[in-house]
Amino acid sequence: MDLAYYPGCSLYQSAKLYNHQTKLVFGILDLKLKELEDWSCCGATSAGKINDFMAVALPARNLGIAENSGLSELVIPCSACYSRTMVAQKQLQDFPLLKNEINIELSKKVKGNIKISSALDVLRREIGGSRFNAMTLEKLEGYKPACYYGCMNTRFPYDVSISENVENPQSMETVLEAIGVKAVDWNYKTLCCGASSVIYNTECALDLMAKIMGDALARGADCLVVNCPMCQMNMESQQDQYCKKHDIKERLPVYFITELVGMALGLSKEELQPGDDLFITGMNWTDLCGDSV
Amino acid sequence: MSTQPYKFDPHAADIFTREVAARSGQKINSCYQCKRCAAGCPVAEDTGMVTPNRLIRMVVLGDIESALTNKLTWKCLFCHTCGTRCPNNIKTGRIADTLKKMALDAGIDPQQPEYKNFHRAFFHYSLRHGRINEIGMMGEFQLRNMWDHLKKRNYVAIISEIMSKSTLAWKMFKQKRLHLSFHSSKGRDEISRLYKKSSGRKWI
């Protein structure tokens, strides 16, 4: 099945690993990802703080490209891009005059009818029909992850309909159960990690991250599983800082959901977390493997 | 904290509330101060207990100075815990965003320039190139900060910025998250036409 794919800016740089793993895992599940041609930045949370019109127009441009590609579903792994695109689609539906104004300038016009899914939505849908090798599932025995969703998957600045429980989301738990991993139940599944405020309001963000870590550890988790690249970066790259600040001795690895799913599908650690050069030199997936995925 | 009682002007309060409500799209007058938002706000302790319900109260009372300079307006994480739990569906994160924009329009700077510079750097960088390159965006963020510190002759802040961001860059490099690649989008022409169309628009 062919899906339109919008990676977003962070999946090309600090979250390149997520891009790599998503393409690998989706390839094995027989889902061909067609990256949007000449996609542009969605504006993330910053656009709305400067200019409301552009906060809708920037994702609208990508929606136009997706719809004009002829595909019926758009997959967006990054939670911020997913949130902004969902909100923009709903606002374009609710305000047709705004849609017309934006469409005047776009070469690929938006109609507003494409289905938008996060990478996790697609995984949840497709994982049930997969058959797993007992040997690969054995590798996952003993993992006790705490599934961390963050803000942008479940809470939106505009009323959009999602098929997820806002206070106690279960998508990652469902996917993990399908591959034989039981996630721990814990309190801070959706507590904000501070996101980009770690750059300009560091201390507050570190306190929030320490709260998340503290509860995950108290519930006996041995790793965190996330589907948002910002959360993954914060929880992992700042771990020493916030743990030292709050006297937390343990450290937990922070995996993307695609990593555990990839292991269940038979991929090795090396394939899922390839060597350093892939990410330092800026090589991309097609350089390595051509168009086979 | 002011020691003088606040002088309430119902006419001015009405105008301010209507403007904030129109720009943010939120039904500000529906708030009945139940404080479900306050209980969930992750930055409440950091803002000196200015919680979302207090922010709404400032707007309703027409206290423009407090509304535009309090800590929650700038430190709000836009996590929407408040908006999701509000029984009247008031998304206070959007009210905080609107107040940020109104403060910038009025020339009111947050105490620390980083609060406005980060989002400005992100937004303008993305308009210029079509996509965000993290090093370039952070570089622009730093230049804007330095300029603001220089204007106030705050040399200590400049030195501490250089040191903290160099540490951050080195840490990202060690974790293989620092990428020297450059990507851009040809769509920046369309985007810049849309941006020209948007200038001066306050009510979307």
Side-chain angles (χ1 to χ4, degrees), chain A residues 10-285:
Chain A
S10 60
L11 259 70
Y12 262 46
Q13 301 206 323
S14 58
K16 208 162 196 171
L17 189 64
Y18 199 20
N19 199 9
H20 170 78
Q21 288 180 353
T22 303
K23 288 182 176 177
L24 260 183
V25 168
F26 276 49
I28 296 183
L29 293 172
D30 207 25
L31 302 161
K32 249 192 148 289
L33 292 174
K34 301 257 186 246
E35 192 163 315
L36 295 185
E37 196 195 320
D38 197 40
W39 56 266
S40 52
C41 179
C42 68
T45 48
S46 298
K49 293 174 176 37
I50 311 286
N51 186 319
D52 279 321
F53 181 77
M54 293 308 286
V56 184
L58 289 170
R61 178 172 180 273
N62 296 312
L63 280 171
I65 301 173
E67 286 166 16
N68 279 278
S69 69
L71 297 166
S72 55
E73 188 172 353
L74 174 61
V75 178
I76 308 181
C78 169
S79 301
C81 304
Y82 167 69
S83 174
R84 296 315 304 174
T85 313
M86 286 281 271
V87 166
Q89 188 182 59
K90 188 71 175 32
Q91 286 178 324
L92 291 169
Q93 273 168 14
D94 290 347
F95 306 121
L97 289 177
L98 177 66
K99 183 162 81 173
N100 290 344
E101 264 209 77
I102 294 176
N103 269 336
I104 292 173
E105 303 294 345
L106 293 179
S107 56
K108 298 192 174 164
K109 319 280 177 200
V110 189
K111 285 191 285 289
N113 51 16
I114 196 166
K115 179 174 148 99
I116 303 172
S117 306
S118 67
L120 180 59
D121 288 338
V122 179
L123 278 178
R124 188 180 61 182
R125 203 174 63 210
E126 302 287 330
I127 205 81
S130 309
R131 283 181 291 276
F132 297 102
N133 188 324
M135 285 202 311
T136 57
L137 291 188
E138 258 172 32
K139 276 193 272 171
L140 292 167
E141 255 168 52
Y143 273 83
K144 278 182 69 190
C147 296
Y148 176 58
Y149 294 80
C151 308
M152 315 224 78
N153 292 298
T154 50
R155 296 190 295 268
F156 299 82
Y158 197 71
D159 286 326
V160 297
S161 59
I162 51 164
S163 58
E164 182 70 277
N165 185 318
V166 176
E167 295 282 1
N168 188 5
Q170 295 290 331
S171 295
M172 280 198 266
E173 278 84 347
T174 312
V175 169
L176 289 174
E177 210 175 297
I179 60 175
V181 177
K182 184 91 172 56
V184 304
D185 191 23
W186 63 308
N187 277 330
Y188 288 141
K189 281 187 188 184
T190 60
L191 180 70
C192 185
C193 67
S196 50
S197 78
V198 73
I199 304 286
Y200 52 85
N201 189 11
T202 317
E203 294 307 311
C204 176
L206 293 179
D207 293 339
L208 289 170
M209 292 180 228
K211 262 193 195 161
I212 296 166
M213 181 73 151
D215 195 60
L217 286 167
R219 303 288 175 146
D222 63 4
C223 61
L224 283 167
V225 174
V226 302
N227 68 330
C228 167
M230 189 79 230
C231 300
Q232 202 274 342
M233 181 155 90
N234 274 356
M235 294 305 290
E236 186 178 71
S237 69
Q238 306 286 346
Q239 210 166 109
D240 275 340
Q241 258 85 318
Y242 62 78
C243 284
K244 285 198 185 115
K245 187 178 176 189
H246 289 264
D247 285 325
I248 299 176
K249 303 277 183 307
E250 300 92 324
R251 302 284 183 269
L252 291 182
V254 185
Y255 298 120
F256 283 114
I257 181 76
T258 38
E259 176 140 4
L260 295 192
V261 173
M263 282 168 66
L265 291 171
L267 293 167
S268 66
K269 269 274 189 194
E270 290 68 41
E271 284 166 302
L272 286 164
Q273 291 211 25
D276 317 331
D277 7 303
L278 178 66
F279 300 100
I280 271 285
T281 59
M283 271 167 66
N284 61 35
W285 177 243

Side-chain angles (χ1 to χ4, degrees), chain A residues 8-10 12-16 35-41 43-58 61 84 91 95 98 100-102 104-108 151-152 154-159 166-167 190-197 199-201 204 208 211 229 232-233 236-238 241 276 278-282, chain B residues 23-24 26 36 40 42-43 45-46 74-82 84-85 89 91 94 97-98 100-101 104 112 114-116 118-120 122-124 126-127 130-135 138 141-142 165 168 171-173 175-188 190-199 201-202 204:
Chain A
C9 310
S10 60
Y12 262 46
Q13 301 206 323
S14 58
K16 208 162 196 171
E35 192 163 315
L36 295 185
E37 196 195 320
D38 197 40
W39 56 266
S40 52
C41 179
T45 48
S46 298
K49 293 174 176 37
I50 311 286
N51 186 319
D52 279 321
F53 181 77
M54 293 308 286
V56 184
L58 289 170
R61 178 172 180 273
R84 296 315 304 174
Q91 286 178 324
F95 306 121
L98 177 66
N100 290 344
E101 264 209 77
I102 294 176
I104 292 173
E105 303 294 345
L106 293 179
S107 56
K108 298 192 174 164
C151 308
M152 315 224 78
T154 50
R155 296 190 295 268
F156 299 82
Y158 197 71
D159 286 326
V166 176
E167 295 282 1
T190 60
L191 180 70
C192 185
C193 67
S196 50
S197 78
I199 304 286
Y200 52 85
N201 189 11
C204 176
L208 289 170
K211 262 193 195 161
Q232 202 274 342
M233 181 155 90
E236 186 178 71
S237 69
Q238 306 286 346
Q241 258 85 318
D276 317 331
L278 178 66
F279 300 100
I280 271 285
T281 59
Chain B
R23 285 180 72 164
S24 65
Q26 304 307 308
R36 280 187 83 184
V43 294
E45 285 154 0
D46 199 37
W74 296 103
K75 293 193 178 201
C76 169
L77 294 172
F78 209 63
C79 75
H80 295 295
T81 307
C82 54
T84 307
R85 292 179 180 174
N89 207 17
K91 300 197 185 326
R94 289 185 59 190
D97 265 10
T98 299
K100 275 190 190 65
K101 290 193 273 274
L104 293 175
Q112 286 160 275
E114 293 90 39
Y115 284 88
K116 70 168 175 10
F118 182 81
H119 298 294
R120 274 190 168 162
F122 191 104
F123 181 64
H124 289 288
S126 112
L127 288 185
R131 294 184 193 176
I132 297 287
N133 293 292
E134 285 157 0
I135 299 183
M138 288 300 285
F141 171 55
Q142 286 315 295
K165 292 303 180 290
L168 179 68
K171 185 167 71 171
M172 290 290 133
F173 179 77
Q175 292 178 14
K176 296 153 208 120
R177 290 180 195 268
L178 200 72
H179 294 279
L180 305 173
S181 54
F182 180 83
H183 59 143
S184 65
S185 160
K186 296 191 204 48
R188 56 186 179 272
E190 284 183 341
I191 293 171
S192 104
R193 285 198 298 274
L194 282 164
Y195 183 54
K196 282 199 180 58
K197 202 177 216 182
S198 77
S199 56
R201 297 168 72 117
K202 296 198 192 320
I204 206 169

